[in-house]
Structure formats: structure tokens, C-alpha cells
Amino acid sequence: MDVTVIDTPQLGDRSYLVHDGEVALVIDAERDIDRVEAAVERADVRVTHVAETHIHNDYVTGGCVHARKHGAACLVNAADDVSFERTPIADGDTVRVGELSVKAVATPGHTHHHLSFAVEHGDEQAVFSGGSVLSGPVGRTDLLGREHMGPANAAGPTEPDLSLPDPLDPEELRSRLEAGEWVVDLRNRVACSSTHLTETISFEYGDGSSFTTFLGWNFPYDRQLTLVGSREDVENSIRDLSRIGIDSPDAALGEDLRQLAPGAAVSSYPRVDWKGMLAERAEDETVLDVRRVDEYEEPHLPGAVDIPLHELLTRMDEVPADRLWVHCGSGYRSGVAASLLERAGRDAVHVDALFYEAEQDGVPLES
């Protein structure tokens, strides 16, 4: 048995190609299936089966597309309500994939109808749990429900268009900014705080490890998205966003704001570290903590107001009206929050610092 792992660290997910040297099974293929197809080509094998451990709620699947393109059976739990053609499978069912024996094992919890796949080849055995059973713990269940990707996966996603769109001309970009549309600045958060096109929202691309999660958590999926940044960052963002069902964003290519939108208004907001906050913050000014509630319930700054980043847009009326010193765990989320607050006309200071360094820099904490 040979196993090829196709890792997507941006989402904490993995796809697998499992084969006997000639015939193969693909498990939990993500939507940009060109990576799977490249692995298949390198292994010089034929895929006869594509399996889904569950109806994913954290990314859009490429399994059904891969199965249709290559005439493979698409193994999906018979209990799942889906709109695409599949080969139903249930607990205890076994299929042959070349010399491999593949058995479905019910492992409910991560989702109600979750299956793991136990694969045997002679004395070799492997179990692909799809995140239901991990090393030590079990998979989280809080992503269940009608979030965006579950329904998309049940309907049967299409193959994504990963091509780079024609760049927006300066007048169109300026028009979108003035209309308050979702225009995302992919540059690093230091550059964004210093100078950015007014109305843009800072989602630093970097290595993409935080970008996909936090943009997907905040973006209203019924809106048009426009990306502003380097060609490389835009291309990588398009691929990353397709994995969570955000398709066909528009783009303005480049990092020179004067060329991207000549004459458009520019803005900035202050950026400090912990020591800068201690030196400059007035005692009656609000500290806004945009970490999750479970993070806040551990040590936090005395008197800090907690509004998690993913709730900020819907709870903007709860944000105090005074100057806001915005922090998170690393500086990424607080950079996004500072840009959203500035966009809403608030006076925000981005505290760009690691939370675990707060005490050593003289910031008191309480539980």
C-alpha cells in the first residue's frame, strides 16, 4: 500500500491518494483537484474510487468533480442527503480497489453520518478518519449546521476557476471603494496601517495560514469580493478562497496605491506594540479584545471589552465610542479589526503584538 498525503495547512486539512501501484482511491479531495491529479500522474496509477469521509463544513470538496472527470465511483454515506450522483456506502460495507480492501466504519461525532475508511493490503492496514478521530482527541462538532460549505458540498460543487481575472481599471476600483464594497488589501499589516486606500479592509496574505480562515469567517458570501495586491498574492488567494467556496473575485494588481487608483482617498491608523500602548493610552480609553470568548476567558487585560473578530461587523453598535486599542493573540486579527473599525469611522489603534508577551512588557492581566 502506498499513501500520498496532500496537505493544506491553511485549513488544517489533508487529502490522500492510496494505491497498490496500479489502482487508486482518493480520500477527501479538496476543490483544487489539480494537486490530486498531479499526484496521480506522478504515481502512474488509475483512480477507480473517490471517497468522502463526511459532508465537509470547513472546506469545499473536489471529490465529486474528480469522480465525474475520471469515471470513478464517488463513495458517500448512504444516509447523507446529496444532490449529485454517488455510490452509497454504509457502516461495514467493503469495496475492492485493485488489491486494496476498503471498509467503511461509522465514526459519528464530527458529523452525524461520518465514516472512516479502513484500508488493508495484505498485512498492511491504515485508517483514514477525516478528522473524526485524531491522535488523542476527537474531531470538533461545532461546525455542524447550515454554514456556507455544508450546503455547497451536499449540492455537488463545480470545478473552480483559478485563472487570474482581468485587472480592474483605476476608475472601477475607485468606484467600488466609494460604494463601500468589499475591497481587501492583501499587503502586510504594517504597510496597510501606514497607508491604504480608504474603505479597504486589511487581510494580510503572508503565507496564507491565517488569511483563508479569517476572511472566510467575516466575508458576507453574497457580496462581490475585490482583491488588491501583488500578482503572486492574488493568484494564491484565488486558489485558497476557492477551497471555501468564494469564487471569481475581482482584482487590482499591484502595491503602488497611486497607480492602482490615482486620486482616490488614502487613510492610515496608528500601530503600536504593548509598550507603545502603555505609554500612549489614556486610562479611560477602551481596550478591545477581538479574540474568541474561550481565549478571553483565560488571562485578559483588566476592563477589556471582548468582541470576537467574527462578530465585530454584526456588533458594531456595541463598540464603545471612545478611542479603541485593539489587540488579539498575534496581531493578525487586530489588524483586520482595526481596518474594519476605521472603515466604520471609529478611532482605532492597532496593537500589533503577541499576547503571551504582554506581561513581560509590563501589561497586567487577570483571569
Side-chain angles (χ1 to χ4, degrees), residues 178-197:
E178 292 171 355
E181 296 190 19
W182 261 71
V183 181
V184 166
D185 190 331
L186 301 174
R187 297 175 304 149
N188 72 72
R189 57 186 184 260
V190 178
C192 287
S193 65
S194 175
T195 308
H196 57 270
L197 295 169

Side-chain angles (χ1 to χ4, degrees), residues 126-140:
V127 176
F128 300 86
S129 75
S132 182
V133 180
L134 307 172
S135 178
V138 294
R140 58 193 289 183

Side-chain angles (χ1 to χ4, degrees), residues 158-189:
T158 58
E159 187 171 2
D161 179 3
L162 301 180
S163 61
L164 193 68
D166 292 334
L168 290 181
D169 62 57
E171 185 58 38
E172 176 60 23
L173 177 58
R174 191 160 53 244
S175 174
R176 294 187 183 197
L177 291 167
E178 292 171 355
E181 296 190 19
W182 261 71
V183 181
V184 166
D185 190 331
L186 301 174
R187 297 175 304 149
N188 72 72
R189 57 186 184 260

Side-chain angles (χ1 to χ4, degrees), residues 309-320:
L309 174 62
H310 61 279
E311 298 177 3
L312 182 59
L313 284 172
T314 58
R315 297 176 59 187
M316 195 65 78
D317 59 347
E318 299 177 37
V319 177

Side-chain angles (χ1 to χ4, degrees), residues 312-345:
L312 182 59
L313 284 172
T314 58
R315 297 176 59 187
M316 195 65 78
D317 59 347
E318 299 177 37
V319 177
D322 61 337
R323 192 171 217 208
L324 304 161
W325 298 77
V326 191
H327 82 86
C328 62
S330 68
Y332 190 96
R333 284 173 287 178
S334 53
V336 177
S339 70
L340 289 170
L341 289 162
E342 190 248 1
R343 190 171 183 255

Side-chain angles (χ1 to χ4, degrees), residues 112 125 196 346:
H112 300 309
Q125 297 180 328
H196 57 270
R346 303 303 184 93

